[in-house]
Amino acid sequence: NLSDRLQGVFKKLRGQARLTESNISDALREVRIALLEADVNFRVVKQFINRVSERSVGADVLKSLTPGQQVIKIVHQELINLMGRTAEPLTRAPAPPTVYMLVGLQGSGKTTSCGKLARMIAGEKRKTLLVAADIYRPAAIDQLKTIGKQVGVEVYAPGAEYDPVDICRDAVSKGKAELFDTVILDTAGRLHIDTALMDELKNIRKAVNPQEILLVADAMTGQDAVNIAMTFNTDLDISGVILTKLDGDARGGAALSIKSATGKPVKLVGMGEKLTPLEPFHPDRMASRILG
Amino acid sequence: LSGHQTINEDVLDEIEELMILSDLGVETTRIIIDGLREKLARKELHDAEIVRNYIRSEIERILAGHTAQLVRDKSVRPWIIMIVGVNGVGKTTTIAKIARRYREEGCSVLLAAGDTFRAGAIEQLKEWGRRLEVDVIAHDEGADPSAVAWDAVAAAKSRDADILIIDTAGRLHTKTNLMEELKKVQRVIGKNMTGAPHEILLVLDATTGQNAVLQAREFCQTVDVSGICLTKLDGTAKGGIIVSVVQELNIPIKLIGIGERMDDLRDFVAESFSRALFD
Ligand SMILES: Nc1nc2c(ncn2[C@@H]2O[C@H](COP(=O)(O)OP(=O)(O)OP(=O)(O)O)[C@@H](O)[C@H]2O)c(=O)[nH]1
Ligand SMILES: Nc1nc2c(ncn2[C@@H]2O[C@H](COP(=O)(O)OP(=O)(O)OP(=O)(O)O)[C@@H](O)[C@H]2O)c(=O)[nH]1
Ligand SMILES: [Mg+2]
Ligand SMILES: [Mg+2]
């Protein structure tokens, strides 16, 4: 792993009291490889390594650490700084209902995450409504209806013959009229380059003014994470990210790429297929995971 | 990389960036760049255009050696295909596409709703069955997937189907119990028909990064994967990870998914894939 590799790099530099440009360039090469292997975007890695290099050169090696450990410490701190020192929670609307809109690529885990979110919020005794706005995927509406039953939350699903923008608008009106605390919109998966479908999302946003637009992203996403996140952010001004399938062994470099490219925080993470609550994002745990 | 720019470190950096951005991975990129440096030292490559062609042909060569078509032995009936992969990669949709292809050839196709876990999974495959006008063997949600597989093989035999395609639930390769379940499904299929399943397709998502290699390793250890389908190539991800996957696991890439409709399936072609990598 990275710490072993860095120990190796610094073995030849015993007794160095200070980090110099030359003694850290090998170390930074190892860090760069580790980040790329973790799927952090190439350009994000470049910027990150430059920043670490600036912070490292001239730094004192603390008495208790080896130079390798010192570099790791700086890298770790920089990663945490980049990803946000503390988890940012979901916000609520000043007046109910709070509308959460989940968006993202095909198969990223939106529908499942809607269910998990509904369970969390309903669990706080807040009346929650799930909205089946995916009219394209075969049995998407059935999927959400089943999930609604499993988490004990009502599902608004007029059917695939309706326009998703109207479905969302009507759902929020229902939410207001029937005193729901939260309305969760499950949208269809789509490519960020599909302008017609991205327009649909823009229209939903215009129609219902969501409190949060959450990009649901798969933790195993590779270099493309930046393209996806930047387009969704440019088109919708997302408020945060839900990173799914973190119960696997993907290093999750996409988290760093997305935060770095959009400035938007990962707020919650999906840790399984079952409809257990989403977990808060821990920047420090993510940093360790990415570094491997 | 502009046409006839002379080769220097900046150009090599640019090339490395293109390769990493296409998810080729650190190791594959390093090997190709090292090969490139050797050729440069021997003055065998003069400008960026030639370099670009060299890399493209290198990748094409690797992939061409690991490409195969989806074929079936027509004398073996039912020809049984099992579909596996992690969550959300496009298994169920790929089954619909493969079924459609065989329907176009005039084959009788039967589907098995082997995902008995996920909400709406059985209904999703049944809906595809309706659109394709093929039958779907299904139990209730929560049933034993091996029982569904067994019944599906029996049904395919008794109905004299040409093709049986068995869907399985998405599962992360790190979940030992779920991987054991998959092993059992393969075993049970083989118990009801010697030699079956005749094809086990691993579905990988083109937007996946280095984790695809870990997925492929585990799935190949668990069941006898005979081919790969790489989906979602209609996005902006290049799917370069497939190069490491086929080299390391020595399984052929057979199909690609280029969309969500039943006709969005193509044979994998090394030449067009390598060309698209650096577009
Ligand atoms: N292991 C694991 N699986 C997950 C997680 N979140 C979702 N899944 C699974 O990922 C697959 C896709 O989930 P969906 O919720 O259908 O994804 P989606 O984004 O709604 O898909 P589309 O609507 O087709 O775009 C399913 O098999 C889910 O069970 C997670 O955190 N961990
Ligand atoms: N753009 C695009 N989307 C695809 C492709 N293949 C599948 N999808 C979409 O990806 C999403 C997931 O597809 P599924 O077929 O449900 O994936 P799965 O692997 O069966 O998912 P689980 O059973 O939940 O593990 C759906 O929205 C599909 O329409 C493809 O080639 N391109
Ligand atoms: Mg969905
Ligand atoms: Mg499926």
Side-chain angles (χ1 to χ4, degrees):
Chain A
N1 66 15
L2 182 62
S3 16
D4 297 340
R5 298 222 286 260
L6 288 187
Q7 301 301 20
V9 165
F10 280 106
K11 241 203 277 37
K12 17 188 174 131
L13 305 168
R14 280 283 156 72
Q16 298 270 335
R18 188 148 294 200
L19 298 176
T20 67
E21 195 141 353
S22 63
N23 71 20
I24 62 171
S25 70
D26 287 341
L28 290 183
R29 188 169 313 126
E30 291 299 330
V31 173
R32 179 173 176 272
I33 291 172
L35 293 175
L36 290 175
E37 286 175 344
D39 292 321
V40 182
N41 183 272
F42 185 92
R43 292 167 189 155
V44 172
V45 172
K46 209 170 196 173
Q47 292 171 356
F48 181 80
I49 294 292
N50 285 341
R51 188 156 49 245
V52 169
S53 173
E54 287 168 10
R55 268 203 55 189
S56 306
V57 173
D60 293 325
V61 179
L62 299 184
K63 291 273 180 297
S64 54
L65 301 176
T66 65
Q69 287 169 334
Q70 184 64 52
V71 171
I72 290 190
K73 191 166 190 301
I74 293 173
V75 169
H76 212 264
Q77 284 171 355
E78 274 306 311
L79 274 180
I80 295 174
N81 283 338
L82 227 180
M83 289 199 290
R85 332 207 88 256
T86 53
E88 288 202 31
L90 286 185
T91 60
R92 284 172 81 170
T98 289
V99 180
Y100 295 138
M101 180 179 171
L102 273 66
V103 302
L105 253 57
Q106 293 91 344
S108 60
K110 297 174 292 300
T111 304
T112 308
S113 299
C114 281
K116 293 175 180 180
L117 200 55
R119 167 156 275 161
M120 287 162 69
I121 296 172
E124 293 172 16
K125 301 284 182 285
R126 289 157 57 188
K127 191 175 172 197
T128 305
L129 182 67
L130 281 165
V131 181
D134 179 353
I135 59 165
Y136 311 104
R137 168 173 156 153
I141 297 176
D142 287 283
Q143 184 183 7
L144 194 67
K145 280 183 175 169
T146 300
I147 286 173
K149 282 205 199 77
Q150 288 169 347
V151 300
V153 166
E154 185 179 340
V155 179
Y156 178 68
E161 326 80 67
Y162 291 88
D163 180 83
V165 181
D166 295 331
I167 293 174
C168 292
R169 185 184 302 114
D170 295 346
V172 175
S173 303
K174 171 186 168 81
K176 283 206 186 81
E178 298 178 24
L179 307 180
F180 279 88
D181 176 277
T182 300
V183 175
I184 301 171
L185 310 176
D186 182 23
T187 67
R190 67 206 63 213
L191 295 178
H192 51 297
I193 50 173
D194 186 328
T195 35
L197 285 183
M198 290 307 285
D199 283 347
E200 176 185 281
L201 292 181
K202 290 179 191 173
N203 291 332
I204 292 174
R205 178 191 183 204
K206 265 201 221 94
V208 304
N209 187 24
Q211 178 66 19
E212 297 252 10
I213 299 182
L214 300 163
L215 174 63
V216 179
D218 196 322
M220 58 187 188
T221 309
Q223 297 288 311
D224 205 38
V226 166
N227 298 328
I228 299 164
M230 284 183 66
T231 306
F232 272 90
N233 193 39
T234 302
D235 285 2
L236 303 171
D237 189 16
I238 63 179
S239 58
V241 176
I242 297 176
L243 199 63
T244 61
K245 308 179 201 172
L246 229 54
D247 45 318
D249 57 2
R251 298 261 289 274
L256 185 65
S257 302
I258 293 173
K259 179 74 190 348
S260 173
T262 64
K264 302 298 165 73
V266 174
K267 295 202 171 190
L268 298 163
V269 303
M271 293 290 293
E273 295 184 71
K274 304 233 167 81
L275 297 171
T276 49
L278 295 168
E279 298 186 13
F281 178 65
H282 294 288
D284 52 338
R285 288 185 210 170
M286 198 71 216
S288 307
R289 180 178 180 135
I290 288 176
L291 285 179
Chain B
L1 288 178
S2 60
H4 296 286
Q5 194 182 338
T6 48
I7 309 308
N8 55 23
E9 275 312 308
D10 287 344
V11 174
L12 289 181
D13 284 350
E14 252 181 78
I15 290 170
E16 185 198 27
E17 176 168 350
L18 267 178
M19 293 173 73
I20 298 279
L21 285 178
S22 68
D23 283 313
L24 274 169
V26 173
E27 195 51 20
T28 302
T29 300
R30 188 191 61 77
I31 291 170
I32 293 181
I33 299 250
D34 284 352
L36 197 54
R37 283 184 193 280
E38 249 182 58
K39 286 211 169 289
L40 288 173
R42 298 199 295 264
K43 307 254 187 289
E44 290 175 14
L45 299 167
H46 312 289
D47 63 35
E49 187 59 32
I50 293 177
V51 165
R52 186 195 183 98
N53 285 327
Y54 165 74
I55 298 174
R56 195 180 40 70
S57 63
E58 268 307 286
I59 292 172
E60 184 180 335
R61 184 184 58 78
I62 295 170
L63 291 174
H66 294 280
T67 300
Q69 298 228 304
L70 187 74
V71 289
R72 72 184 171 112
D73 182 341
K74 299 202 173 135
S75 68
V76 177
R77 300 174 70 257
W79 182 260
I80 303 181
I81 302 173
M82 180 180 168
I83 306 281
V84 303
V86 303
N87 309 72
V89 294
K91 298 178 291 303
T92 306
T93 310
T94 298
I95 289 173
K97 295 172 181 177
I98 295 174
R100 142 94 173 188
R101 175 186 278 211
Y102 281 123
R103 289 281 286 137
E104 299 270 273
E105 291 176 17
C107 301
S108 56
V109 180
L110 188 63
L111 303 181
D115 180 354
T116 56
F117 169 76
R118 205 207 69 215
I122 295 171
E123 192 47 38
Q124 183 184 6
L125 193 65
K126 281 184 173 174
E127 173 56 29
W128 277 118
R130 277 190 287 275
R131 295 183 191 187
L132 294 158
E133 298 185 339
V134 302
D135 286 341
V136 180
I137 302 299
H139 291 190
D140 290 332
E141 205 171 286
D144 178 357
S146 292
V148 178
W150 178 273
D151 284 356
V153 178
K157 285 187 202 162
S158 70
R159 298 178 199 200
D160 204 32
D162 291 314
I163 314 266
L164 167 64
I165 313 176
I166 301 179
D167 196 6
T168 63
R171 68 205 64 220
L172 294 184
H173 52 290
T174 47
K175 314 233 159 147
T176 324
N177 57 331
L178 296 182
M179 296 304 270
E180 281 305 307
E181 176 186 88
L182 202 62
K183 218 182 253 170
K184 182 175 175 212
V185 170
Q186 175 180 348
R187 202 165 52 237
V188 163
I189 294 170
K191 281 224 172 85
N192 202 350
M193 180 177 188
T194 312
H198 308 99
E199 177 94 61
I200 298 184
L201 286 179
L202 170 63
V203 179
L204 296 173
D205 184 330
T207 59
T208 304
Q210 300 306 304
N211 197 249
V213 178
L214 300 183
Q215 294 172 24
R217 265 184 215 154
E218 270 325 298
F219 276 92
C220 288
Q221 281 272 39
T222 302
V223 292
D224 301 320
V225 175
S226 55
I228 294 172
C229 174
L230 186 64
T231 60
K232 308 184 195 172
L233 274 170
D234 47 317
T236 51
K238 300 291 184 164
I241 194 60
I242 196 70
V243 176
S244 311
V245 170
V246 298
Q247 274 187 304
E248 180 178 323
L249 281 315
N250 211 13
I251 5 153
I253 163 120
K254 299 190 174 183
L255 299 166
I256 59 173
I258 56 162
E260 301 188 72
R261 298 172 324 204
M262 60 168 81
D263 51 2
D264 288 330
L265 185 72
R266 299 284 181 277
D267 290 340
F268 180 81
V269 178
E271 196 270 343
S272 29
F273 183 86
S274 331
R275 196 168 291 280
L277 266 186
F278 303 125
D279 279 345

